[in-house]
Structures are given as C-alpha cells and as structure tokens.
mmCIF file of all heavy atoms in Angstrom:
data_model
loop_
_atom_site.group_PDB
_atom_site.id
_atom_site.type_symbol
_atom_site.label_atom_id
_atom_site.label_comp_id
_atom_site.label_asym_id
_atom_site.label_seq_id
_atom_site.Cartn_x
_atom_site.Cartn_y
_atom_site.Cartn_z
ATOM 1 N N ILE A 1 -51.408 100.519 183.746
ATOM 2 C CA ILE A 1 -52.180 100.625 185.020
ATOM 3 C C ILE A 1 -51.398 99.963 186.169
ATOM 4 O O ILE A 1 -51.413 100.484 187.316
ATOM 5 C CB ILE A 1 -53.583 100.010 184.892
ATOM 6 C CG1 ILE A 1 -54.383 100.767 183.808
ATOM 7 C CG2 ILE A 1 -54.322 99.977 186.197
ATOM 8 C CD1 ILE A 1 -55.677 100.051 183.392
ATOM 9 N N GLY A 2 -50.738 98.855 185.905
ATOM 10 C CA GLY A 2 -49.933 98.272 186.956
ATOM 11 C C GLY A 2 -48.768 99.137 187.375
ATOM 12 O O GLY A 2 -48.449 99.216 188.594
ATOM 13 N N VAL A 3 -48.103 99.826 186.434
ATOM 14 C CA VAL A 3 -47.060 100.805 186.819
ATOM 15 C C VAL A 3 -47.635 101.865 187.725
ATOM 16 O O VAL A 3 -46.968 102.331 188.638
ATOM 17 C CB VAL A 3 -46.423 101.361 185.539
ATOM 18 C CG1 VAL A 3 -45.501 102.554 185.904
ATOM 19 C CG2 VAL A 3 -45.617 100.302 184.835
ATOM 20 N N SER A 4 -48.870 102.319 187.358
ATOM 21 C CA SER A 4 -49.454 103.413 188.108
ATOM 22 C C SER A 4 -49.564 103.072 189.594
ATOM 23 O O SER A 4 -49.357 103.941 190.440
ATOM 24 C CB SER A 4 -50.858 103.759 187.558
ATOM 25 O OG SER A 4 -50.807 104.129 186.214
ATOM 26 N N PHE A 5 -49.917 101.815 189.875
ATOM 27 C CA PHE A 5 -50.070 101.454 191.350
ATOM 28 C C PHE A 5 -48.931 100.707 191.954
ATOM 29 O O PHE A 5 -48.970 100.340 193.107
ATOM 30 C CB PHE A 5 -51.331 100.590 191.462
ATOM 31 C CG PHE A 5 -52.582 101.381 191.333
ATOM 32 C CD1 PHE A 5 -53.522 101.086 190.262
ATOM 33 C CD2 PHE A 5 -52.948 102.368 192.257
ATOM 34 C CE1 PHE A 5 -54.664 101.861 190.167
ATOM 35 C CE2 PHE A 5 -54.131 103.099 192.099
ATOM 36 C CZ PHE A 5 -55.023 102.816 191.089
ATOM 37 N N ALA A 6 -47.831 100.433 191.167
ATOM 38 C CA ALA A 6 -46.690 99.680 191.706
ATOM 39 C C ALA A 6 -46.073 100.467 192.854
ATOM 40 O O ALA A 6 -45.694 101.596 192.762
ATOM 41 C CB ALA A 6 -45.681 99.467 190.589
ATOM 42 N N GLY A 7 -45.993 99.742 193.991
ATOM 43 C CA GLY A 7 -45.447 100.468 195.204
ATOM 44 C C GLY A 7 -43.978 100.149 195.427
ATOM 45 O O GLY A 7 -43.388 100.703 196.342
ATOM 46 N N ASP A 8 -43.324 99.374 194.561
ATOM 47 C CA ASP A 8 -41.893 99.103 194.718
ATOM 48 C C ASP A 8 -41.318 98.982 193.317
ATOM 49 O O ASP A 8 -41.964 98.858 192.347
ATOM 50 C CB ASP A 8 -41.712 97.816 195.527
ATOM 51 C CG ASP A 8 -42.307 96.570 194.780
ATOM 52 O OD1 ASP A 8 -41.580 95.968 193.988
ATOM 53 O OD2 ASP A 8 -43.478 96.296 194.965
ATOM 54 N N LEU A 9 -39.958 98.995 193.322
ATOM 55 C CA LEU A 9 -39.212 98.990 192.030
ATOM 56 C C LEU A 9 -39.343 97.695 191.283
ATOM 57 O O LEU A 9 -39.372 97.683 190.082
ATOM 58 C CB LEU A 9 -37.734 99.272 192.356
ATOM 59 C CG LEU A 9 -37.453 100.724 192.830
ATOM 60 C CD1 LEU A 9 -35.950 100.807 193.237
ATOM 61 C CD2 LEU A 9 -37.748 101.805 191.813
ATOM 62 N N ILE A 10 -39.459 96.568 192.007
ATOM 63 C CA ILE A 10 -39.601 95.290 191.350
ATOM 64 C C ILE A 10 -40.943 95.160 190.632
ATOM 65 O O ILE A 10 -41.057 94.750 189.428
ATOM 66 C CB ILE A 10 -39.366 94.141 192.324
ATOM 67 C CG1 ILE A 10 -37.983 94.096 192.820
ATOM 68 C CG2 ILE A 10 -39.767 92.783 191.681
ATOM 69 C CD1 ILE A 10 -37.705 93.048 193.873
ATOM 70 N N SER A 11 -42.028 95.545 191.298
ATOM 71 C CA SER A 11 -43.324 95.514 190.668
ATOM 72 C C SER A 11 -43.362 96.501 189.497
ATOM 73 O O SER A 11 -43.908 96.117 188.426
ATOM 74 C CB SER A 11 -44.449 95.932 191.701
ATOM 75 O OG SER A 11 -44.469 94.997 192.747
ATOM 76 N N LEU A 12 -42.751 97.656 189.681
ATOM 77 C CA LEU A 12 -42.771 98.668 188.534
ATOM 78 C C LEU A 12 -42.031 98.032 187.362
ATOM 79 O O LEU A 12 -42.488 98.191 186.172
ATOM 80 C CB LEU A 12 -42.042 99.889 189.066
ATOM 81 C CG LEU A 12 -41.991 101.077 188.014
ATOM 82 C CD1 LEU A 12 -42.120 102.362 188.738
ATOM 83 C CD2 LEU A 12 -40.660 101.058 187.222
ATOM 84 N N PHE A 13 -40.941 97.392 187.581
ATOM 85 C CA PHE A 13 -40.149 96.821 186.464
ATOM 86 C C PHE A 13 -40.920 95.692 185.763
ATOM 87 O O PHE A 13 -40.842 95.572 184.519
ATOM 88 C CB PHE A 13 -38.800 96.283 186.994
ATOM 89 C CG PHE A 13 -37.937 95.691 185.912
ATOM 90 C CD1 PHE A 13 -37.248 96.478 185.067
ATOM 91 C CD2 PHE A 13 -37.865 94.296 185.743
ATOM 92 C CE1 PHE A 13 -36.446 95.940 184.009
ATOM 93 C CE2 PHE A 13 -37.106 93.749 184.741
ATOM 94 C CZ PHE A 13 -36.352 94.527 183.894
ATOM 95 N N ILE A 14 -41.618 94.860 186.488
ATOM 96 C CA ILE A 14 -42.359 93.767 185.865
ATOM 97 C C ILE A 14 -43.419 94.328 184.951
ATOM 98 O O ILE A 14 -43.595 93.924 183.796
ATOM 99 C CB ILE A 14 -42.954 92.866 186.901
ATOM 100 C CG1 ILE A 14 -41.862 92.100 187.691
ATOM 101 C CG2 ILE A 14 -44.029 91.872 186.341
ATOM 102 C CD1 ILE A 14 -42.348 91.329 188.854
ATOM 103 N N TYR A 15 -44.175 95.283 185.431
ATOM 104 C CA TYR A 15 -45.232 95.880 184.589
ATOM 105 C C TYR A 15 -44.645 96.684 183.423
ATOM 106 O O TYR A 15 -45.160 96.733 182.363
ATOM 107 C CB TYR A 15 -46.157 96.821 185.422
ATOM 108 C CG TYR A 15 -47.154 96.015 186.271
ATOM 109 C CD1 TYR A 15 -47.068 96.050 187.723
ATOM 110 C CD2 TYR A 15 -48.136 95.263 185.724
ATOM 111 C CE1 TYR A 15 -47.989 95.389 188.471
ATOM 112 C CE2 TYR A 15 -49.065 94.560 186.537
ATOM 113 C CZ TYR A 15 -48.991 94.617 187.855
ATOM 114 O OH TYR A 15 -49.862 93.916 188.629
ATOM 115 N N TRP A 16 -43.477 97.302 183.719
ATOM 116 C CA TRP A 16 -42.762 98.022 182.679
ATOM 117 C C TRP A 16 -42.429 97.150 181.475
ATOM 118 O O TRP A 16 -42.634 97.524 180.314
ATOM 119 C CB TRP A 16 -41.475 98.653 183.320
ATOM 120 C CG TRP A 16 -40.737 99.675 182.576
ATOM 121 C CD1 TRP A 16 -39.794 99.527 181.625
ATOM 122 C CD2 TRP A 16 -40.958 101.068 182.726
ATOM 123 N NE1 TRP A 16 -39.318 100.738 181.224
ATOM 124 C CE2 TRP A 16 -39.972 101.698 181.856
ATOM 125 C CE3 TRP A 16 -41.775 101.911 183.557
ATOM 126 C CZ2 TRP A 16 -39.893 103.127 181.780
ATOM 127 C CZ3 TRP A 16 -41.631 103.272 183.442
ATOM 128 C CH2 TRP A 16 -40.704 103.885 182.547
ATOM 129 N N GLU A 17 -41.921 95.956 181.775
ATOM 130 C CA GLU A 17 -41.537 95.035 180.722
ATOM 131 C C GLU A 17 -42.772 94.412 180.028
ATOM 132 O O GLU A 17 -42.734 94.105 178.883
ATOM 133 C CB GLU A 17 -40.606 93.923 181.263
ATOM 134 C CG GLU A 17 -39.282 94.417 181.710
ATOM 135 C CD GLU A 17 -38.544 95.198 180.544
ATOM 136 O OE1 GLU A 17 -38.122 94.488 179.602
ATOM 137 O OE2 GLU A 17 -38.422 96.414 180.568
ATOM 138 N N LEU A 18 -43.864 94.237 180.772
ATOM 139 C CA LEU A 18 -45.123 93.830 180.205
ATOM 140 C C LEU A 18 -45.580 94.825 179.115
ATOM 141 O O LEU A 18 -45.996 94.402 178.047
ATOM 142 C CB LEU A 18 -46.211 93.685 181.295
ATOM 143 C CG LEU A 18 -47.550 93.176 180.847
ATOM 144 C CD1 LEU A 18 -47.522 91.701 180.489
ATOM 145 C CD2 LEU A 18 -48.625 93.388 181.936
ATOM 146 N N MET A 19 -45.412 96.075 179.459
ATOM 147 C CA MET A 19 -45.784 97.116 178.418
ATOM 148 C C MET A 19 -44.843 96.974 177.168
ATOM 149 O O MET A 19 -45.340 97.065 176.049
ATOM 150 C CB MET A 19 -45.619 98.496 179.040
ATOM 151 C CG MET A 19 -46.650 98.857 180.063
ATOM 152 S SD MET A 19 -46.236 100.470 180.802
ATOM 153 C CE MET A 19 -45.982 101.497 179.357
ATOM 154 N N ALA A 20 -43.572 96.799 177.369
ATOM 155 C CA ALA A 20 -42.616 96.713 176.264
ATOM 156 C C ALA A 20 -42.956 95.548 175.402
ATOM 157 O O ALA A 20 -42.957 95.674 174.140
ATOM 158 C CB ALA A 20 -41.236 96.662 176.793
ATOM 159 N N LEU A 21 -43.257 94.412 175.974
ATOM 160 C CA LEU A 21 -43.554 93.196 175.251
ATOM 161 C C LEU A 21 -44.759 93.388 174.418
ATOM 162 O O LEU A 21 -44.736 93.109 173.172
ATOM 163 C CB LEU A 21 -43.720 92.016 176.202
ATOM 164 C CG LEU A 21 -44.124 90.703 175.594
ATOM 165 C CD1 LEU A 21 -43.081 90.206 174.574
ATOM 166 C CD2 LEU A 21 -44.359 89.632 176.674
ATOM 167 N N PHE A 22 -45.865 93.785 174.920
ATOM 168 C CA PHE A 22 -47.125 93.807 174.211
ATOM 169 C C PHE A 22 -47.343 95.060 173.351
ATOM 170 O O PHE A 22 -48.118 95.016 172.392
ATOM 171 C CB PHE A 22 -48.298 93.577 175.194
ATOM 172 C CG PHE A 22 -48.364 92.157 175.620
ATOM 173 C CD1 PHE A 22 -47.904 91.860 176.930
ATOM 174 C CD2 PHE A 22 -48.806 91.133 174.851
ATOM 175 C CE1 PHE A 22 -47.842 90.507 177.383
ATOM 176 C CE2 PHE A 22 -48.814 89.816 175.289
ATOM 177 C CZ PHE A 22 -48.340 89.517 176.581
ATOM 178 N N SER A 23 -46.621 96.138 173.628
ATOM 179 C CA SER A 23 -46.641 97.236 172.714
ATOM 180 C C SER A 23 -45.951 96.840 171.402
ATOM 181 O O SER A 23 -46.284 97.308 170.365
ATOM 182 C CB SER A 23 -45.969 98.477 173.318
ATOM 183 O OG SER A 23 -44.670 98.219 173.718
ATOM 184 N N THR A 24 -44.880 95.967 171.517
ATOM 185 C CA THR A 24 -44.251 95.473 170.316
ATOM 186 C C THR A 24 -45.227 94.657 169.473
ATOM 187 O O THR A 24 -45.234 94.728 168.228
ATOM 188 C CB THR A 24 -43.032 94.610 170.680
ATOM 189 O OG1 THR A 24 -42.117 95.381 171.486
ATOM 190 C CG2 THR A 24 -42.315 94.099 169.481
ATOM 191 N N VAL A 25 -46.054 93.836 170.145
ATOM 192 C CA VAL A 25 -47.047 93.026 169.427
ATOM 193 C C VAL A 25 -48.054 94.026 168.717
ATOM 194 O O VAL A 25 -48.457 93.709 167.608
ATOM 195 C CB VAL A 25 -47.754 92.094 170.367
ATOM 196 C CG1 VAL A 25 -48.890 91.339 169.652
ATOM 197 C CG2 VAL A 25 -46.757 91.154 170.978
ATOM 198 N N VAL A 26 -48.403 95.122 169.359
ATOM 199 C CA VAL A 26 -49.281 96.070 168.751
ATOM 200 C C VAL A 26 -48.688 96.641 167.458
ATOM 201 O O VAL A 26 -49.321 96.783 166.458
ATOM 202 C CB VAL A 26 -49.658 97.185 169.708
ATOM 203 C CG1 VAL A 26 -50.488 98.289 169.028
ATOM 204 C CG2 VAL A 26 -50.502 96.669 170.911
ATOM 205 N N VAL A 27 -47.400 96.923 167.489
ATOM 206 C CA VAL A 27 -46.714 97.458 166.370
ATOM 207 C C VAL A 27 -46.685 96.364 165.229
ATOM 208 O O VAL A 27 -47.020 96.640 164.079
ATOM 209 C CB VAL A 27 -45.230 97.835 166.674
ATOM 210 C CG1 VAL A 27 -44.468 98.285 165.379
ATOM 211 C CG2 VAL A 27 -45.182 98.978 167.668
ATOM 212 N N TRP A 28 -46.394 95.129 165.566
ATOM 213 C CA TRP A 28 -46.403 94.038 164.557
ATOM 214 C C TRP A 28 -47.728 93.814 163.988
ATOM 215 O O TRP A 28 -47.832 93.290 162.915
ATOM 216 C CB TRP A 28 -45.854 92.786 165.235
ATOM 217 C CG TRP A 28 -44.340 92.722 165.338
ATOM 218 C CD1 TRP A 28 -43.458 93.315 164.519
ATOM 219 C CD2 TRP A 28 -43.578 92.018 166.287
ATOM 220 N NE1 TRP A 28 -42.193 93.076 164.909
ATOM 221 C CE2 TRP A 28 -42.198 92.222 166.009
ATOM 222 C CE3 TRP A 28 -43.861 91.169 167.375
ATOM 223 C CZ2 TRP A 28 -41.166 91.690 166.727
ATOM 224 C CZ3 TRP A 28 -42.841 90.574 168.059
ATOM 225 C CH2 TRP A 28 -41.517 90.831 167.789
ATOM 226 N N SER A 29 -48.826 94.151 164.744
ATOM 227 C CA SER A 29 -50.167 93.882 164.216
ATOM 228 C C SER A 29 -50.494 94.768 163.009
ATOM 229 O O SER A 29 -51.548 94.618 162.402
ATOM 230 C CB SER A 29 -51.194 94.159 165.308
ATOM 231 O OG SER A 29 -51.026 93.206 166.368
ATOM 232 N N GLY A 30 -49.543 95.666 162.690
ATOM 233 C CA GLY A 30 -49.769 96.417 161.392
ATOM 234 C C GLY A 30 -49.779 95.471 160.205
ATOM 235 O O GLY A 30 -50.375 95.811 159.155
ATOM 236 N N GLY A 31 -49.133 94.378 160.351
ATOM 237 C CA GLY A 31 -49.251 93.327 159.330
ATOM 238 C C GLY A 31 -48.496 93.554 158.015
ATOM 239 O O GLY A 31 -48.799 92.913 157.020
ATOM 240 N N THR A 32 -47.541 94.445 157.976
ATOM 241 C CA THR A 32 -46.772 94.801 156.782
ATOM 242 C C THR A 32 -45.305 94.467 157.052
ATOM 243 O O THR A 32 -44.853 94.466 158.208
ATOM 244 C CB THR A 32 -46.976 96.232 156.370
ATOM 245 O OG1 THR A 32 -46.368 97.055 157.405
ATOM 246 C CG2 THR A 32 -48.418 96.591 156.193
ATOM 247 N N PRO A 33 -44.535 94.331 156.006
ATOM 248 C CA PRO A 33 -43.057 94.196 156.230
ATOM 249 C C PRO A 33 -42.450 95.352 156.968
ATOM 250 O O PRO A 33 -41.567 95.116 157.820
ATOM 251 C CB PRO A 33 -42.448 94.046 154.793
ATOM 252 C CG PRO A 33 -43.597 93.531 154.005
ATOM 253 C CD PRO A 33 -44.878 94.109 154.559
ATOM 254 N N ALA A 34 -42.903 96.587 156.714
ATOM 255 C CA ALA A 34 -42.412 97.703 157.432
ATOM 256 C C ALA A 34 -42.724 97.706 158.860
ATOM 257 O O ALA A 34 -41.950 98.068 159.705
ATOM 258 C CB ALA A 34 -43.031 99.004 156.795
ATOM 259 N N SER A 35 -43.985 97.240 159.273
ATOM 260 C CA SER A 35 -44.347 97.109 160.650
ATOM 261 C C SER A 35 -43.500 96.032 161.381
ATOM 262 O O SER A 35 -43.153 96.248 162.540
ATOM 263 C CB SER A 35 -45.848 96.898 160.816
ATOM 264 O OG SER A 35 -46.154 95.574 160.336
ATOM 265 N N ARG A 36 -43.213 94.980 160.697
ATOM 266 C CA ARG A 36 -42.421 93.950 161.306
ATOM 267 C C ARG A 36 -41.034 94.418 161.564
ATOM 268 O O ARG A 36 -40.452 94.129 162.678
ATOM 269 C CB ARG A 36 -42.398 92.663 160.441
ATOM 270 C CG ARG A 36 -43.764 91.918 160.446
ATOM 271 C CD ARG A 36 -43.611 90.558 159.783
ATOM 272 N NE ARG A 36 -43.442 90.701 158.328
ATOM 273 C CZ ARG A 36 -44.472 90.776 157.450
ATOM 274 N NH1 ARG A 36 -45.705 90.715 157.945
ATOM 275 N NH2 ARG A 36 -44.222 90.867 156.166
ATOM 276 N N ALA A 37 -40.403 95.127 160.547
ATOM 277 C CA ALA A 37 -39.099 95.691 160.737
ATOM 278 C C ALA A 37 -39.043 96.714 161.868
ATOM 279 O O ALA A 37 -38.165 96.710 162.733
ATOM 280 C CB ALA A 37 -38.591 96.234 159.445
ATOM 281 N N ALA A 38 -40.056 97.626 161.868
ATOM 282 C CA ALA A 38 -40.121 98.674 162.893
ATOM 283 C C ALA A 38 -40.354 98.045 164.274
ATOM 284 O O ALA A 38 -39.745 98.498 165.287
ATOM 285 C CB ALA A 38 -41.260 99.598 162.568
ATOM 286 N N GLY A 39 -41.119 96.935 164.325
ATOM 287 C CA GLY A 39 -41.348 96.270 165.612
ATOM 288 C C GLY A 39 -40.076 95.612 166.191
ATOM 289 O O GLY A 39 -39.874 95.720 167.397
ATOM 290 N N ILE A 40 -39.271 95.099 165.310
ATOM 291 C CA ILE A 40 -37.991 94.528 165.788
ATOM 292 C C ILE A 40 -37.079 95.658 166.316
ATOM 293 O O ILE A 40 -36.514 95.525 167.403
ATOM 294 C CB ILE A 40 -37.313 93.797 164.615
ATOM 295 C CG1 ILE A 40 -38.084 92.563 164.237
ATOM 296 C CG2 ILE A 40 -35.838 93.440 164.973
ATOM 297 C CD1 ILE A 40 -37.572 91.823 162.957
ATOM 298 N N ARG A 41 -36.959 96.746 165.583
ATOM 299 C CA ARG A 41 -36.158 97.836 166.118
ATOM 300 C C ARG A 41 -36.750 98.436 167.403
ATOM 301 O O ARG A 41 -36.016 98.717 168.330
ATOM 302 C CB ARG A 41 -36.080 99.008 165.073
ATOM 303 C CG ARG A 41 -35.381 98.625 163.782
ATOM 304 C CD ARG A 41 -35.175 99.777 162.851
ATOM 305 N NE ARG A 41 -36.368 100.310 162.307
ATOM 306 C CZ ARG A 41 -36.842 99.981 161.122
ATOM 307 N NH1 ARG A 41 -36.214 99.034 160.380
ATOM 308 N NH2 ARG A 41 -37.989 100.495 160.678
ATOM 309 N N TYR A 42 -38.055 98.487 167.468
ATOM 310 C CA TYR A 42 -38.734 98.959 168.717
ATOM 311 C C TYR A 42 -38.388 98.039 169.870
ATOM 312 O O TYR A 42 -38.030 98.492 170.957
ATOM 313 C CB TYR A 42 -40.262 98.955 168.425
ATOM 314 C CG TYR A 42 -41.101 99.427 169.564
ATOM 315 C CD1 TYR A 42 -41.586 100.681 169.676
ATOM 316 C CD2 TYR A 42 -41.528 98.481 170.472
ATOM 317 C CE1 TYR A 42 -42.411 101.052 170.691
ATOM 318 C CE2 TYR A 42 -42.448 98.857 171.556
ATOM 319 C CZ TYR A 42 -42.832 100.158 171.606
ATOM 320 O OH TYR A 42 -43.652 100.564 172.691
#
C-alpha cells in the first residue's frame, strides 16, 4: 500500500524493501527446513 501511494523514488524504495523483508518472514513461517532454505534463497 505504501508503494501504491509513494510519490517519489526514495519513498518507493523504502516501502519496496519493507515488502522484501516481511515477505521473507512469511515464507519462513512455513516452519519447515524447506521453508527456511527457500526463505534464505528468496
């Protein structure tokens, strides 16, 4: 949602990296060795 309303490249990049960080946590929440490995590659 932050990317959607970002009016400049710096704001866009900050929200962009917020997505990357917490989407990785969502992958890790699978709770298996495969999800942890996939999360690292992700």
Side-chain angles (χ1 to χ4, degrees):
I1 296 168
V3 168
S4 300
F5 286 117
D8 62 90
L9 293 172
I10 294 178
S11 298
L12 184 145
F13 180 77
I14 292 173
Y15 284 115
W16 194 271
E17 291 304 288
L18 183 71
M19 290 174 52
L21 174 62
F22 288 101
S23 59
T24 302
V25 177
V26 173
V27 176
W28 279 334
S29 296
T32 64
S35 67
R36 288 190 288 272
I40 292 172
R41 295 190 292 267
Y42 179 95

